[in-house]
Amino acid sequence: MYDLLHLCWLEMRKTLSRSVLFSGLSVAIMMGLVVALRGRQFPGTFEVKHALYFYGVAAEIFMAVLMAKALGDEFYYKTSTALFSSSSSRTRVLFVKMLYNLWISLIFAIVAIGVDLVAEWILNQRVSLGFQIQMALRIIPAYFLFAAAAGSFLTAVGTVTLNIVGPLIAYVVIFWLLPGTLELLLKEWLGLQGAGPLLAPLYLRSYLIRLEVSLGEAFALSLFGLSCFLLAIGVLNRRDLR
């Protein structure tokens, strides 16, 4: 138990030392607040939700990079041999990496709440406590579910490629390029309707933008994340990393 907590603490410290984290937060905040300022300059063009939309677009990209680096950096900096031959089991290490992903999503979610608050003040010259609580209850679950699903996927691919680039390429193909093609195949060509919940994991990036997740979609995302995590454990435990 102490070893697990120690690893979690090291990962959290590592997170706060990454320039990618602060660069990503800066870009995301800038995108969100620029939209709010433009909405203030030209009334009726942008609303608070648009600020969160642009923040979420940037946040998704940088969170994906950070989550790919969680495992990929161990191989890039040649620390994998010492890490995976230590007293900590490989399953435990992967579990810590998943906690790291959730930690990353919590940071971006908290900043998103701050962006929402500032954007509302810029656009409406007031802040509604009820609205902010309502948005916080939408932002945090959406970001956590994204981290659970996307983080598990990136980790699973990382156990195969043993680098950072491979998981990111797979992420772009699966979650940026594939969804539209697959939905067209299922609905237009095969005539299958109501396939939305089944395709929920493929649209996981959209939840950072619309901030709405149904119970069916949450279940699908959780199941997808768990499947990828178990796959990562199975693959990594069979790899010779000496």
Side-chain angles (χ1 to χ4, degrees):
M1 183 63 180
Y2 172 79
D3 189 34
L4 179 61
L5 293 175
H6 181 63
L7 286 173
C8 291
W9 170 243
L10 290 177
E11 285 293 334
M12 289 181 182
R13 288 183 57 188
K14 188 191 299 182
T15 303
L16 297 176
S17 67
R18 293 184 186 276
S19 60
V20 177
L21 172 64
F22 296 102
S23 299
L25 288 172
S26 299
V27 172
I29 292 171
M30 180 185 67
M31 290 183 65
L33 295 187
V34 164
V35 169
L37 290 171
R38 293 293 287 178
R40 177 67 178 173
Q41 185 179 7
F42 302 101
T45 54
F46 294 111
E47 301 175 11
V48 175
K49 64 181 181 181
H50 296 125
L52 283 178
Y53 173 94
F54 282 92
Y55 174 89
V57 169
E60 180 228 345
I61 296 172
F62 284 97
M63 280 196 290
V65 171
L66 285 163
M67 290 187 287
K69 287 171 66 66
L71 184 63
D73 274 355
E74 304 295 351
F75 301 101
Y76 180 80
Y77 292 110
K78 310 300 182 183
T79 56
S80 56
T81 302
L83 179 65
F84 294 117
S85 61
S86 65
S87 58
S88 300
S89 70
R90 295 181 178 186
T91 300
R92 185 176 301 178
V93 171
L94 288 179
F95 180 74
V96 170
K97 297 299 183 184
M98 285 307 304
L99 291 179
Y100 162 88
N101 293 337
L102 295 176
W103 170 242
I104 288 291
S105 71
L106 179 61
I107 293 174
F108 275 89
I110 290 173
V111 175
I113 295 171
V115 168
D116 181 68
L117 188 150
V118 175
E120 185 186 9
W121 181 81
I122 291 174
L123 290 168
N124 302 329
Q125 294 297 293
R126 62 180 178 82
V127 174
S128 169
L129 179 60
F131 176 76
Q132 290 301 319
I133 293 176
Q134 180 184 13
M135 290 306 300
L137 294 176
R138 292 173 57 184
I139 289 171
I140 293 176
Y143 276 71
F144 265 41
L145 282 170
F146 173 84
S152 297
F153 174 83
L154 290 163
T155 300
V157 178
T159 61
V160 177
T161 63
L162 305 183
N163 57 31
I164 302 170
V165 177
L168 290 176
I169 292 176
Y171 180 87
V172 170
V173 172
I174 297 298
F175 301 112
W176 288 27
L177 305 179
L178 182 61
T181 303
L182 186 58
E183 186 173 14
L184 178 65
L185 174 65
L186 291 177
K187 292 185 177 180
E188 300 297 332
W189 295 354
L190 300 181
L192 296 178
Q193 301 297 326
L198 297 177
L199 299 179
L202 295 180
Y203 290 96
L204 61 86
R205 57 192 299 264
S206 70
Y207 300 111
L208 296 183
I209 297 172
R210 58 189 179 93
L211 302 175
E212 292 181 359
V213 186
S214 68
L215 287 178
E217 291 168 335
F219 177 77
L221 288 170
S222 301
L223 184 61
F224 175 78
L226 178 60
S227 300
C228 289
F229 181 67
L230 294 176
L231 177 63
I233 292 174
V235 172
L236 193 63
N237 283 332
R238 287 169 174 77
R239 297 297 298 260
D240 184 1
L241 302 175
R242 292 175 294 177

